Amino acid sequence: AQSVTQPDIHITVSEGASLELRCNYSYGATPYLFWYVQSPGQGLQLLLKYFSGDTLVQGIKGFEAEFKRSQSSFNLRKPSVHWSDAAEYFCAVGRPNTGNQFYFGTGTSLTVIP
Amino acid sequence: EAGVVQSPRYKIIEKKQPVAFWCNPISGHNTLYWYRQNLGQGPELLIRYENEEAVDDSQLPKDRFSAERLKGVDSTLKIQPAELGDSAVYLCASSFLARRAGRQYNEQFFGPGTRLTVL
């Protein structure tokens, strides 16, 4: 069975501080991996994705994530957080070669304080 | 290019009433998903269509939920009758399957969702 774990339900950081959101997955092979962001009342927007190749992935809005096979992790990072980054962040896992099955984590809520 | 369109954005109904949600996916995307997102949770798949065929509806509560995707384009999700526990955001997403480096992959694009409140 596949699962996605986001261990941190809620994180608070100061504006300008660095950020790391954790994501661990359970899957027998290398999945493809996504991070989405959801602002209040909005749908999910893709931040970045990993399919293969370079394990450090750059995304939009200054975010990056690193796939670590040995740790089954795909943590999201940003060196300097802006107040507009306050939102809900979801990690998602897709199963290669089955096409279209996705599994989402429960999300991490980010609060940014001035 | 327009994204995934959903309507209505908000709906408030009394329990036992019917409700329907509509989704128009991105043009050319053959896969369409309906998700339910409860407060403080991630999206949970209700049903997945490949063109007009429902290929995964294992999580759809079939006693009260139904969906259709006639002609393999837009889709409707219906609840009849609605219960208090159905209050949630209903998200529609679409995707296009591609191949790269010998692997299939796709990327889902989400609509803004319909926030349903059942009183």
Side-chain angles (χ1 to χ4, degrees), chain B residues 46-117:
Chain B
L46 290 174
I47 189 168
R48 171 166 60 96
Y49 281 93
E50 299 290 346
N51 301 304
E52 65 273 14
E53 181 183 0
V55 296
D56 185 356
D57 62 355
S58 57
Q59 300 303 312
L60 189 73
K62 298 180 182 63
D63 57 334
R64 298 183 298 108
F65 286 65
S66 64
E68 61 183 11
R69 191 185 183 196
L70 300 176
K71 301 181 181 179
V73 181
D74 56 348
S75 176
T76 303
L77 178 69
K78 298 179 181 177
I79 309 175
Q80 182 171 10
E83 297 179 352
L84 295 177
D86 296 331
S87 295
V89 175
Y90 291 82
L91 295 166
C92 180
S94 69
S95 70
F96 177 76
L97 189 63
R99 294 180 187 273
R100 189 170 74 188
R103 296 193 341 158
Q104 288 184 357
Y105 71 96
N106 67 358
E107 176 184 328
Q108 293 187 66
F109 294 83
F110 283 83
T114 297
R115 181 174 297 276
L116 173 67
T117 301

Side-chain angles (χ1 to χ4, degrees), chain A residues 2-86:
Chain A
Q2 294 70 230
S3 70
V4 184
T5 304
Q6 292 182 247
D8 304 305
I9 296 173
H10 185 236
I11 285 182
T12 299
V13 299
S14 298
E15 191 169 16
S18 63
L19 171 71
E20 183 170 28
L21 302 183
R22 295 183 291 167
C23 174
N24 293 94
Y25 65 89
S26 170
Y27 181 57
T30 301
Y32 41 83
L33 299 153
F34 306 84
W35 274 100
Y36 286 87
V37 60
Q38 186 178 35
S39 297
Q42 302 297 314
L44 278 72
Q45 180 185 21
L46 182 70
L47 286 175
L48 46 78
K49 57 186 181 280
Y50 170 79
F51 294 121
S52 63
D54 193 347
T55 56
L56 184 62
V57 179
Q58 302 297 320
I60 62 171
K61 304 184 180 184
F63 286 92
E64 66 177 27
E66 186 171 12
F67 169 55
K68 293 186 177 180
R69 186 191 309 273
S70 61
Q71 299 176 19
S72 297
S73 69
F74 189 57
N75 294 349
L76 182 71
R77 301 193 295 249
K78 187 170 185 177
S80 177
V81 171
H82 189 262
W83 64 266
S84 60
D85 293 325

Side-chain angles (χ1 to χ4, degrees), chain B residues 31-46:
Chain B
T31 306
L32 183 146
Y33 311 75
W34 282 105
Y35 290 90
R36 177 168 57 191
Q37 185 179 22
N38 293 312
L39 189 64
Q41 299 293 316
E44 295 178 333
L45 181 70
L46 290 174

